Every structure is written in structure tokens, then in C-alpha cells.
Amino acid sequence: MMLLPNNCPVEAIDVFVQALESEEEEGFCDDVTLLSVITAVSQVQQIKLAEQLHAFVLKSLPASLIIILNAIMVMYSRCNLINTSFKVFDKMLERDAVSWNTIISAFVQNGFNEEALMLVCEMQKQKFLIDSVTVTALFSAASNLRNMYIGRQTHAYLIRRGIQFEGMESYLIDMYAKSGSIRTSELLFEHNCPSNKDQATWNAMIAGYTQNGLNEKAILLLNEMLVQKVLPNAVTLASILPACSSMGSMGFARQIHGFSIRHFLEKNVYVGTALTDSYSKCGAISYAENVFVRMPEKNSVSYTTMIMCYGQHGMGKRALTLYDSMLRSGIKPDAITFVAILSACNYSGLVDEGLQIFESMEKVHKIKPSIEHYCCVADMLGRVGRVIEAYEFVKGLGEDGNSMEIWGSILGSCKNHGHFELGKVVAKKLLNMGREKRMAGYHVLLSNIYAEEGEWENVDRVRKQMKENGLQKETGCSWVEIAGFVNCFVSRDEKHPQSDEICYMLDKLTMDMKDAGYKPLYGLNLNMILDSNE
């Protein structure tokens, strides 16, 4: 089985099958051979092959060795069969520390973080010591759950036991940043890490800044990393590119793209996906498309990202074509892919196509819809005026449809398409659902509906309730990049250094539009009413 170290898992499996078919020597299939072929099947992620190999192991070795069963757990986990992996673990007559760490890590890698934490508790009850592998899984679980309490407990355990392992600082920085304590991450980065920080430590801190919206700090840290002669890698670029999206900086995205080309990183699937997303969010959909097309390797995330890009730019037909191409290439869509394609159908008014895709989720792809998918369908129907159908759809969901996001979408559709009586019913339901969440947006929508109907007493009542409860709608912000400088604006903004010239040009454009025959639609909007009374 010498083909496996040379990264030829398919060839290794073929050699194993041929050896079995022509076996003459007794004892050919020893533990080393089995471990090699199990690892090969893990790499190719063939479910049927994994099940056949497991059956062969059970027949060949009735009292299978722990090391073989541990490898089988890894194999099933990598094939996304975490339940089967746990069944193997549960039926083991004897376990070692590797068995526990294998199943705990498998649960974390497959998104079952809370279950992994429960297994750690059980592991301790069974008198197995927590080692660096367990700690790594615990930090990952704490990061995924954004649970600082678990992370701090694990950190304290490390200190008490004096445990040190490679990459520990980067795990700690990542965990604290994702748990909302970016200052603790900074302290670890600045004081606890050695002066010669490695790539992983720099990457963890840069990612921590971007995840917390501290984009300028992330860019400054990238500059410092270069000054310290630490060369950014693919992880660095994928971590810093979201800062370009948030800042709307096309120029910076192009600089990162150029760096990736010069250092042969542009073909990395994670860098390519991040570039695609950044260019799209900066408004350069053609650049995003070019990056995606040139990617030599594509996975479900890269396809989903490009589908989302098309949707955000109103290119629903292209999104559908790409979704079909994804299915033909054998890449399985996940729950996020369906959010992306349903959103694309929503923005482009492709309702029938969207409904067909929604129905295929459970029937064809065995993915149970979540609140996000229901919200997409409700908004898709409501956006094109099928408000009653959207309302009946949400009502038919029962408890699954009791979400403020879903009913909020219905309320917006009622307002946009003049279903005022239904809108009042939906709004009252929303206000009852959101008493403790203090959400101002639904109050504003309800007041706009009352205003459209001329029910001024109700408008005053809702406005009074908002003021009494201290509710205020969050101000929307727009931005545009000109000559490398990002200009941000909010409604009635006078803080921009060129606000006088901008207002003059807007007035001039308004007069030109009127001269050309444009007649604005004057509709009452509570946002303007509230602004004028502040």
C-alpha cells in the first residue's frame, strides 16, 4: 500500500481490491494494510465503499482492534455520517483516549458542538485525562458556540495543568475573538505570544479583527505582519478580504488579488472564494465572475458564494444556471446553498423556479428547511404580490413559522401591495411576539400602514408607544468609493466635508428631472415624520 503516502487513494483502493481477489498468502490483510485502506476511503469519501470496508473488517476481525475502530470512526465522520461514527464508538467494548478524542473531534467538525461538550464530561467521568487534542476540540466548540465561559474554563485548565502545544496561542486568540472578547485576544497576541509570532498567530488576530468589524485594525496588522517579514499565506488573504467587502474598498481588494497572483495563491479555493465575494460586494460582479471561472478547484462554498453574488445583483437566471451546473458536477448543495438560490429567485421574481427548488430540498436532497428558507419563500411570494398565498404558506407551517423574520416579511409585503387589513393583523401578531426584543422596524411599518389608511389616531398611538419604550429605527447607511476614498452617507447627513456641493448637485439633478417630465410619488413615510419631529 505504498501509493497512499503519495496521495493516490483511488489507486491504493484498487490495489487492495486486486490483492483480495488474487490472495494466495494467508495473513495478507494485516492491521497496517487495513489502516492504509481505511485512510484511503476516508480521503475519497465514498459512503458505499466505507460501509463495504467496515463489513469486511467485522468479518475478518471479529474482535477488532481499537486502532482499527478509531480509524473507521474517522472514515465515517469524513463521509458526513456522524451518527454511524457514533454507533461504532458506542459499541466498542474497549476504548482508549484516542477513541474519545476521535469522536469528540468528529462531533465538532460536523457541527454538533454541544454534543461534543457532553462527551468531554463523560470522558472525564471515565477517568480519561484531557490532553492537547481534547483541548483543541474544546476551543473549536467554544468558538463555534461563541461561548466564552467554556473557552475560559478550558484556558484555565491549560494553565493549571501546564499544558502547552503547537498552535495553542492561535486557538486562544480565535476563541476569545469569536466569543466577543477581542481585547483579550489582543492581550494574548501582544503579551503572551513570543516575539517571533508564527503565521497561524498573525492569521488568528487578523481574522479576529475582521469578524468583529475592526477592518482598519485588520489592515494595519497585515501591514505590520509584512514589516516583520512574515509572509501572508492563503489563510491570511481569505481572512483579510472580508474587510474589503465591509469597507467597500475595491482598490484594496485588487491589491490583495495582485498579491495572490504574484505569490501563486490565487488558485487556492479559499482565496478564490473570498475574492469572488469581495468583488461582488464592492459592486464588481464581472470581476467576481472572472475569478470564479478561473478557479481550478471549486467546492460547495465557492458555488454557493457565486450563486449568492448573482442573486445580490439581480441575475436570477445566471444563478439558476450555475445551480444546475453545480448539481451536474456532482457537488451536493447544503442548507446555505438553498438560502442563496432561493434568495436569487426572490430578487429576480423567479417564483415558480424558486418554489420547485424549495420542494426539492427534502424530497431530493434530504435537507430539512429552516427559518431562513421559509422566510425566503414567504418574501418571494409577497414580493410579486401573492401576499395571501404567502400568508397561507406561513400559517401552514405551524410552530415552524413562528418567527419574527418570517412574519416581518409578510408585513412588508402587505404594506407594499396595499393589503392593509391583513397587515394590521400581521403587525399585531409581530408586536406580541416582539415585546421583549424591542424591535422598532415593525412599529414603523405598522404606523406607515395606518398612515396610508388615514388612521392618524393609530399613527399617533404607535409613535407614542415607540417614544415611551425608547425605540428608534436604526439609521441606514450608503457608501461609494471614489479615488480610493470611501464616502459614507446617512439620511440628511451634513457631516461630509463636501456636503454643500453634494446637496447643490442633487438639487440641480432634481430640477433637471422635473424639466424632463418626471413626477415623484409622494407617499407618507413614518421615517420622515419621525425625523422631522426629532
Side-chain angles (χ1 to χ4, degrees):
M1 299 295 289
M2 294 303 294
L3 291 170
L4 191 57
N6 294 316
N7 196 27
C8 300
V10 175
E11 291 82 354
I13 294 167
D14 288 340
V15 170
F16 176 77
V17 172
Q18 290 170 17
L20 285 179
E21 290 174 347
S22 61
E23 182 183 354
E24 296 178 358
E25 297 183 25
E26 188 177 347
F28 152 75
C29 192
D30 58 13
D31 298 339
V32 176
T33 306
L34 280 175
L35 281 174
S36 298
V37 75
I38 290 169
T39 303
V41 174
S42 299
Q43 291 177 356
V44 298
Q45 298 178 349
Q46 292 283 342
I47 294 173
K48 289 185 178 179
L49 192 58
E51 291 172 341
Q52 290 173 347
L53 183 57
H54 187 193
F56 174 80
V57 170
L58 291 176
K59 291 176 183 177
S60 304
L61 302 170
S64 298
L65 296 174
I66 294 177
I67 189 171
I68 300 295
L69 292 176
N70 290 343
I72 288 174
M73 281 194 286
V74 173
M75 176 182 70
Y76 279 126
S77 171
R78 290 184 178 172
C79 292
N80 296 319
L81 294 175
I82 187 63
N83 290 333
T84 309
S85 185
F86 182 72
K87 285 178 183 177
V88 174
F89 173 81
D90 195 41
K91 291 181 180 179
M92 290 176 70
L93 300 176
E94 186 181 353
R95 305 181 185 115
D96 59 10
V98 176
S99 308
W100 285 96
N101 285 333
T102 298
I103 194 63
I104 289 166
S105 300
F107 268 78
V108 173
Q109 289 161 5
N110 285 270
F112 296 92
N113 301 288
E114 293 176 349
E115 291 82 353
L117 296 177
M118 292 170 64
L119 280 170
V120 172
C121 293
E122 186 62 30
M123 178 183 180
Q124 288 181 299
K125 289 179 183 177
Q126 299 291 331
K127 307 300 181 184
F128 285 94
L129 287 177
I130 292 176
D131 58 15
S132 60
V133 179
T134 325
V135 167
T136 300
L138 278 170
F139 279 141
S140 297
S143 298
N144 296 338
L145 293 169
R146 308 297 194 261
N147 190 322
M148 195 186 301
Y149 177 73
I150 296 294
R152 279 179 171 170
Q153 281 189 320
T154 308
H155 191 185
Y157 180 88
L158 284 177
I159 295 170
R160 289 196 307 270
R161 299 278 178 164
I163 297 175
Q164 292 280 337
F165 60 90
E166 187 177 354
M168 187 178 79
E169 291 83 7
S170 60
Y171 276 104
L172 283 166
I173 290 168
D174 178 70
M175 182 273 296
Y176 280 115
K178 286 181 177 175
S179 301
S181 183
I182 190 67
R183 184 55 189 153
T184 306
S185 294
E186 288 178 325
L187 291 172
L188 286 165
F189 181 78
E190 293 167 3
H191 302 299
N192 289 15
C193 294
S195 56
N196 55 336
K197 303 176 181 73
D198 60 10
Q199 272 185 339
T201 307
W202 286 95
N203 291 344
M205 195 67 245
I206 289 171
Y209 278 140
T210 55
Q211 288 159 3
N212 284 271
L214 302 171
N215 302 307
E216 292 180 358
K217 281 193 171 186
I219 293 168
L220 289 172
L221 192 62
L222 175 63
N223 289 333
E224 186 182 341
M225 181 181 183
L226 292 168
V227 169
Q228 296 295 328
K229 308 296 184 185
V230 180
L231 189 66
N233 61 6
V235 176
T236 320
L237 302 191
S239 298
I240 196 67
L241 279 166
C244 309
S245 309
S246 300
M247 296 172 66
S249 178
M250 174 76 168
F252 186 60
R254 293 180 69 178
Q255 287 181 27
I256 297 296
H257 191 182
F259 181 92
S260 72
I261 293 171
R262 291 193 300 275
H263 292 84
F264 309 102
L265 297 172
E266 83 282 4
K267 293 183 179 180
N268 179 278
V269 66
Y270 301 105
V271 173
T273 302
L275 277 167
T276 301
D277 184 59
S278 293
Y279 277 135
S280 172
K281 287 179 178 173
C282 290
I285 187 63
S286 59
Y287 279 48
E289 200 171 35
N290 286 336
V291 171
F292 177 80
V293 169
R294 293 172 183 270
M295 287 170 62
E297 178 192 353
K298 298 180 181 71
N299 57 21
S300 63
V301 178
S302 50
Y303 269 102
T304 299
T305 300
M306 194 65 233
I307 289 169
M308 202 171 292
C309 294
Y310 280 139
Q312 290 166 347
H313 287 262
M315 300 176 175
K317 291 288 186 183
R318 289 195 182 185
L320 285 171
T321 301
L322 186 60
Y323 174 70
D324 290 337
S325 174
M326 177 183 180
L327 296 180
R328 287 197 303 272
S329 67
I331 296 176
K332 295 180 180 179
D334 57 19
I336 301 174
T337 309
F338 282 105
V339 171
I341 189 63
L342 288 172
S343 298
C345 292
N346 180 13
Y347 297 143
S348 304
L350 303 172
V351 180
D352 294 333
E353 292 88 340
L355 291 176
Q356 288 178 2
I357 289 171
F358 175 74
E359 289 175 3
S360 74
M361 280 186 67
E362 269 192 294
K363 290 181 180 178
V364 179
H365 302 284
K366 311 303 180 188
I367 297 175
K368 181 175 172 54
S370 64
I371 288 172
E372 288 79 8
H373 304 108
Y374 295 138
C375 194
C376 284
V377 174
D379 196 52
M380 182 166 55
L381 291 167
R383 191 180 290 259
V384 296
R386 294 160 66 172
V387 181
I388 304 299
E389 191 177 343
Y391 177 73
E392 294 298 331
F393 168 77
V394 176
K395 274 184 65 179
L397 296 175
E399 289 297 319
D400 290 341
N402 280 338
S403 162
M404 295 189 71
E405 290 82 0
I406 297 175
W407 286 105
S409 172
I410 299 292
L411 179 61
S413 300
C414 289
K415 197 270 179 188
N416 293 335
H417 294 281
H419 290 263
F420 299 125
E421 292 304 318
L422 179 59
K424 294 170 192 176
V425 174
V426 174
K428 287 173 183 175
K429 180 178 178 66
L430 274 167
L431 296 181
N432 288 331
M433 291 173 68
R435 286 190 191 279
E436 297 179 0
K437 295 191 178 181
R438 299 173 58 80
M439 300 183 76
Y442 302 132
H443 288 77
V444 171
L445 269 174
L446 178 58
S447 295
N448 284 341
I449 288 172
Y450 283 137
E452 294 277 2
E453 290 271 89
E455 299 181 19
W456 301 110
E457 290 183 4
N458 286 325
V459 172
D460 291 337
R461 177 174 56 80
V462 175
R463 287 174 56 193
K464 186 178 179 181
Q465 286 177 354
M466 290 181 67
K467 288 183 179 180
E468 287 175 353
N469 295 325
L471 298 178
Q472 187 172 357
K473 193 171 185 292
E474 186 177 349
T475 305
C477 176
S478 301
W479 65 85
V480 60
E481 182 182 7
I482 301 174
F485 180 76
V486 178
N487 300 265
C488 294
F489 302 93
V490 297
S491 179
R492 308 186 193 288
D493 192 355
E494 296 181 356
K495 295 179 181 179
H496 194 279
Q498 293 177 287
S499 60
D500 290 340
E501 294 94 325
I502 293 169
C503 289
Y504 170 77
M505 182 57 67
L506 286 172
D507 290 339
K508 186 176 183 303
L509 286 171
T510 302
M511 294 302 298
D512 291 344
M513 289 165 67
K514 285 182 178 178
D515 291 342
Y518 172 73
K519 294 182 180 181
L521 177 64
Y522 293 102
L524 282 168
N525 188 316
L526 184 64
N527 297 332
M528 298 180 68
I529 296 172
L530 290 173
D531 288 343
S532 65
N533 282 276
E534 289 179 352

